[in-house]
Amino acid sequence: MLRTSSARTVDDGAATDAEPIATNADLVRAQQYAARFVGAGVIAYSAAMLPVLIGSASLTASWWPPLSAALIVGPAIALLVGSFRPTTGWILSAGICSAAGYLLATALWFVAWNPDTAGGYGRWPVWLVQFPGVPGLALVIALRFGSAIGYLVVATAMVHTANQLAVFGGVRATMYTSTALTIGLTGVFMAVGIVTMRTAQKLGETRSTAVRAAEVTASAVAREAERSRYDALIHDHVIACLLALRPSTQDQRVAEQARQALGEIDAWRRGDRDVGGDVVPTELLRKVRLTTAQIDDDVEFTVHVVDNGQTYPAEVVEAVLAALSEAMRNSVRHAGDHAERVVGGELAADALWVGVADDGVGFDPGHLDSSRFGVDAGLIGRMRAIGGDAEVRSAPGRGTVVRLSWSPR
């Protein structure tokens, strides 16, 4: 069974655009991978510089080496751990803390420095000088691109100044060259990181926009399909029953059609649409015979099965029967009181067709009112919706032939 929502449900659900997607999956993945890289990198650099930290401990007060290590390694561990969480909240906070921790550790070096101990510790006695840009990448991960660039300039200048003081007891001109070189080299990696994050961000936004557009389009298609179904329901059942009524007469067929119309309306209001499974040709033949008999039990019937090995989709059967009913009602209503009708067709494995022919008054198909539902929507539109076709041949005074056909693609 196929169950679809009612038109009321579809219209209400599509009244507003789809809810925006809460997370950008592409950006989240990029941030997680980058956080692992940066977190592990800071930890690795810190471990590699541990001998320098221990060897130059006398340069500063005793509290600075362990505090600086905690300020650098602590956020890096949090960044690494946060990269394995499903959300990025921890990553963003740890990234900001990593950059802030580096700046604070460097600033506190000037407070803890003992000027009397300058010299004799090699070229790089301040252990932080080897990786000023790495914590800055954490700001890139947090999407603080402008802050990351500003951080790189400030952190590099500060740590190179500290290193110059530790080596020479003062600042020399070579400090500016080494600072600019470090900023330039590290800036390349930072630029790559910024481009990567922006690309992931844009990709995710594009994907989200495409998904939202698809959802809105699907809602619009669903609304249009339900509206078409409702129009067909009113035309095929309600209006058809009203037009079939005759004053001072009782017709059991009209009463049965009225009961079917009420049942269809109730099903539409509940949101039920029982289409069923595929239909074999003999069952379709029975349905075609029943459909025509409900409208005109005097019609000549010449539909026959050519090959019973084929099955037809339930949606196709539903559309063919509805279009056949429309053709029959049009013939009964417009062909004239003395017109005779014949229903013919073939149900084969590679195709099916059914048709209605009458010898009534006929009409000019080229001069139909485009606002009328019957031929354009009830026949041609309905058949084309399932990949079939409807052919209408008629002329004034020469009767009408309607041929409905469908074949599997």
Side-chain angles (χ1 to χ4, degrees):
M1 295 295 182
L2 173 65
R3 183 181 178 90
T4 61
S5 60
S6 69
R8 299 176 189 274
T9 302
V10 172
D11 281 344
D12 291 343
T16 59
D17 286 346
E19 292 294 328
I21 296 176
T23 58
N24 182 333
D26 299 289
L27 180 60
V28 168
R29 282 194 297 270
Q31 288 176 313
Q32 289 173 334
Y33 291 138
R36 291 167 197 170
F37 172 79
V38 172
V42 171
I43 294 172
Y45 269 117
S46 300
M49 297 303 297
L50 183 59
V52 176
L53 175 62
I54 297 174
S56 61
S58 59
L59 271 171
T60 61
S62 59
W63 54 265
W64 186 84
L67 178 60
S68 64
L71 289 173
I72 300 301
V73 177
I77 294 175
L79 190 64
L80 185 61
V81 173
S83 69
F84 293 95
R85 295 174 62 88
T87 59
T88 59
W90 199 346
I91 292 178
L92 303 183
S93 299
I96 295 173
C97 289
S98 180
Y102 187 94
L103 288 175
L104 181 58
T106 304
L108 289 176
W109 184 92
F110 294 98
V111 177
W113 177 47
N114 181 3
D116 296 333
T117 59
Y121 295 96
R123 294 184 59 191
W124 313 108
V126 179
W127 72 284
L128 300 177
V129 77
Q130 296 292 343
F131 55 99
V134 179
L137 294 176
L139 288 175
V140 174
I141 299 172
L143 307 181
R144 306 296 194 271
F145 301 138
S147 299
I149 296 172
Y151 159 86
L152 177 62
V153 174
V154 173
T156 304
M158 286 178 60
V159 78
H160 275 269
T161 299
N163 194 72
Q164 287 275 309
L165 292 175
V167 174
F168 305 111
V171 177
R172 297 187 177 184
T174 55
M175 190 271 294
Y176 301 105
T177 303
S178 61
T179 298
L181 182 61
T182 301
I183 292 174
L185 292 176
T186 308
V188 173
F189 294 98
M190 187 168 287
V192 172
I194 292 174
V195 171
T196 301
M197 290 298 124
R198 284 193 181 277
T199 301
Q201 194 174 23
K202 189 65 176 178
L203 178 61
E205 291 171 355
T206 302
R207 190 192 306 275
S208 299
T209 301
V211 171
R212 285 195 294 269
E215 290 174 346
V216 172
T217 301
S219 296
V221 170
R223 289 199 307 273
E224 185 60 31
E226 287 300 313
R227 289 192 183 113
S228 298
R229 182 190 171 201
Y230 182 70
D231 290 343
L233 171 64
I234 297 300
H235 180 273
D236 294 348
H237 295 279
V238 179
I239 295 177
C241 287
L242 295 176
L243 292 175
L245 292 175
R246 295 292 182 270
S248 304
T249 61
Q250 293 185 352
D251 191 333
Q252 291 300 319
R253 290 177 302 177
V254 176
E256 178 60 27
Q257 290 177 18
R259 283 191 289 270
Q260 290 181 359
L262 292 174
E264 288 288 336
I265 292 174
D266 288 340
W268 176 80
R269 293 180 61 185
R270 292 192 306 269
D272 296 338
R273 188 185 181 192
D274 293 337
V275 177
D278 290 351
V279 179
V280 297
T282 53
E283 176 63 14
L284 176 56
L285 177 64
R286 187 190 68 81
K287 290 177 178 289
V288 170
R289 189 186 301 274
L290 178 61
T291 298
T292 57
Q294 287 176 339
I295 300 173
D296 182 3
D297 52 9
D298 292 329
V299 68
E300 182 180 349
F301 191 85
T302 61
V303 181
H304 56 278
V305 174
V306 176
D307 187 342
N308 200 35
Q310 171 72 19
T311 60
Y312 307 113
E315 294 82 0
V316 171
V317 172
E318 182 185 40
V320 169
L321 293 177
L324 178 62
S325 297
E326 178 66 21
M328 285 289 296
R329 285 192 295 266
N330 287 344
S331 178
V332 171
R333 191 178 307 138
H334 302 297
D337 294 338
H338 301 291
E340 295 183 353
R341 274 165 289 283
V342 59
V343 174
E346 291 184 350
L347 310 180
D350 57 347
L352 70 84
W353 72 267
V354 292
V356 179
D358 66 52
D359 58 358
V361 298
F363 65 97
D364 184 355
H367 289 79
L368 286 176
D369 185 353
S370 60
S371 64
R372 297 289 296 274
F373 183 91
V375 173
D376 284 343
L379 296 179
I380 298 175
R382 183 171 271 148
M383 291 302 297
R384 287 180 178 174
I386 60 169
D389 194 18
E391 181 182 2
V392 180
R393 299 196 302 270
S394 184
R398 301 186 62 179
T400 302
V401 176
V402 175
R403 188 177 190 273
L404 312 172
S405 60
W406 176 86
S407 60
R409 299 297 180 184

